[in-house]
Amino acid sequence: YFIPGNHDIGLRASSLFSPHARSRYQSHFGYLNSWILVANHTFVLLDAPTFVEEDEQRVKSGHAYQDWTPRHGGPIEFVTTVARENQNYPIVLMSHIPLARTSFDCGPLREKGTIRPGAALGYQNTLGKEATAFLLETLHPSVVFSGDDHDYCENYHTSGRGGATTRVREISVKSLSMAMGIKRPGFQLLSLVSPIHGEDDQKTLADVPCFLPDQMTIYLSTYIPLLLVSLFIILGSNALRVHRLPPKRSRRLSSPHPRRVDDESEDRMTSLPQPVSVRTPKSGLRPQIPSSFVLFGRRRRIMCFDLLRHCLTLCRTSRKLNSEGLWVGFLRDSRDIAVFPLTVFVAISFWITIT
């Protein structure tokens, strides 16, 4: 089930908002206003942005709620219908925009600041005082859940019913995304017990905030230190490899004694090629493993031998890699280690995006 917010369907008419926002929302998520019955509790899902717009029209006309003719299919007509048809079940009110308040204390679980009245193009921090009183006096909810603020806030409202004044608890639920200006995202867990008829003042619901870990602290205290340790290990292994390399030798060794003519003729004699009769033939005597065979009149290749040749080629090139310098080897190893996890991360992110 869903409730619309100001980023879904807009708030107040403006050329910056799409005129098809409401119809697009309804085609994908359902009705703007709806109510459902769960465990003998009535959940009222209110279209708060449209409720704000209709309430502003009522205020401009100078009518009270008793004298106002509700817009057909609008939020005010929806609220009065729910209040009339509800069979004395406890009501759970859900509104994207928080209710108006006299106390700005949000409790110890809030990260920073508070919720104060304010409005501008496309948003409004709280409902109006008369609109809040209308919802509380008409629905008499047991609890109210709101959003929009992204941070947690617990507040209490007063509601009169049958000459008695009751306190109504409102919870502004935390955002589930850490990109909304909060350190610890979260959600609200609500538990319901079906009420027993004939018993008053029975507690039939309980809720608790569920906070997710602080992602930024995890990045700074875990991921970055592990990254630095990994880079240090790669750098240390390359430094050890370079330290173990044998010293380079020149191809010609100088001699303090002058060479004689006899020595030069002897070198030419020893450097002559061997006779053909003592050479080892390149083919014919060395056994060769066939890398192909004939099947159904066509020659097929054995791919495992190609893979073996590729591995042998890598083994030969590894000798060249061992002769690389410290920083060249460090960058090469860092690249080889990072390619696989980065490829997996990009693939998963792309898959999540397209789905």
Side-chain angles (χ1 to χ4, degrees):
Y1 300 94
F2 306 90
I3 57 174
N6 56 308
H7 292 291
D8 302 317
I9 61 175
L11 179 58
R12 303 182 184 93
S14 174
S15 59
L16 300 177
F17 307 142
S18 172
H20 309 290
R22 279 179 168 80
S23 59
R24 183 170 59 243
Y25 180 90
Q26 289 177 307
S27 63
H28 286 80
F29 302 104
Y31 296 105
L32 297 175
N33 296 285
S34 59
W35 59 295
I36 56 176
L37 191 65
V38 180
N40 289 333
H41 287 74
T42 302
F43 281 74
V44 179
L45 311 181
L46 179 66
D47 176 12
T50 308
F51 179 60
V52 169
E53 295 176 352
E54 186 175 0
D55 184 64
E56 290 179 347
Q57 294 177 2
R58 180 196 61 82
V59 173
K60 290 179 180 180
S61 65
H63 291 83
Y65 276 99
Q66 304 89 292
D67 305 328
W68 173 254
T69 302
R71 182 193 306 173
H72 179 68
I76 297 180
E77 183 185 60
F78 166 74
V79 170
T80 55
T81 302
V82 172
R84 182 176 62 253
E85 297 182 0
N86 183 47
Q87 301 178 359
N88 293 325
Y89 291 133
I91 291 180
V92 179
L93 174 60
M94 292 189 172
S95 168
H96 178 75
I97 302 176
L99 306 184
R101 57 203 59 204
T102 56
S103 173
F104 302 105
D105 183 18
C106 286
L109 298 180
R110 186 176 177 85
E111 293 185 7
K112 57 183 178 181
T114 185
I115 300 178
R116 296 187 180 276
L121 179 63
Y123 79 90
Q124 182 167 319
N125 293 340
T126 61
L127 299 177
K129 293 182 179 179
E130 294 183 1
T132 299
F134 168 74
L135 294 176
L136 295 177
E137 300 296 333
T138 306
L139 295 176
H140 303 288
S142 299
V143 66
V144 179
F145 293 102
S146 59
D148 184 67
D149 185 66
H150 303 164
D151 203 352
Y152 184 86
C153 184
E154 183 174 353
N155 201 281
Y156 288 89
H157 307 276
T158 56
S159 173
R161 185 175 188 178
T165 301
T166 59
R167 299 182 70 195
V168 180
R169 182 166 167 263
E170 179 189 359
I171 300 297
S172 295
V173 183
K174 258 201 168 186
S175 172
L176 194 60
S177 171
M178 63 170 291
M180 296 292 103
I182 55 175
K183 292 183 178 179
R184 300 188 61 184
F187 57 93
Q188 202 78 8
L189 177 63
L190 177 64
S191 300
L192 301 175
V193 176
S194 182
I196 302 175
H197 293 284
E199 294 187 10
D200 298 331
D201 300 332
Q202 53 181 327
K203 191 172 181 61
T204 60
L205 55 85
D207 63 276
V208 61
C210 302
F211 297 145
L212 302 180
D214 185 356
Q215 293 293 322
M216 190 58 63
T217 301
I218 293 177
Y219 293 150
L220 296 178
S221 63
T222 304
Y223 292 159
I224 292 182
L226 288 177
L227 174 62
L228 296 178
V229 170
S230 302
L231 294 177
F232 180 78
I233 293 175
I234 296 173
L235 182 62
S237 62
N238 279 274
L240 184 62
R241 174 184 58 80
V242 173
H243 178 71
R244 291 180 177 179
L245 287 178
K248 296 182 180 180
R249 297 179 180 180
S250 59
R251 295 182 179 179
R252 295 182 179 179
L253 298 178
S254 61
S255 176
H257 303 287
R259 294 176 60 86
R260 296 178 301 176
V261 179
D262 298 340
D263 294 338
E264 295 179 358
S265 60
E266 183 179 355
D267 290 344
R268 286 195 296 269
M269 293 293 293
T270 55
S271 61
L272 292 176
Q274 295 180 349
V276 180
S277 57
V278 297
R279 292 184 186 178
T280 302
K282 295 184 179 180
S283 62
L285 298 179
R286 183 181 300 175
Q288 294 184 351
I289 302 176
S291 60
S292 62
F293 61 95
V294 177
L295 180 63
F296 299 114
R298 297 182 61 184
R299 182 166 294 277
R300 313 285 181 173
R301 293 182 59 85
I302 304 178
M303 302 302 297
C304 61
F305 292 106
D306 295 338
L307 181 61
L308 180 61
R309 292 193 188 95
H310 181 66
C311 295
L312 294 177
T313 304
L314 291 179
C315 294
R316 295 191 190 99
T317 55
S318 63
R319 298 178 182 178
K320 298 180 180 179
L321 296 178
N322 290 333
S323 61
E324 293 178 346
L326 173 62
W327 296 109
V328 175
F330 170 74
L331 295 176
R332 173 179 51 80
D333 291 345
S334 301
R335 179 205 61 191
D336 295 342
I337 293 174
V339 163
F340 178 74
L342 288 179
T343 303
V344 174
F345 175 77
V346 171
I348 294 176
S349 301
F350 178 74
W351 178 75
I352 292 176
T353 303
I354 62 177
T355 55

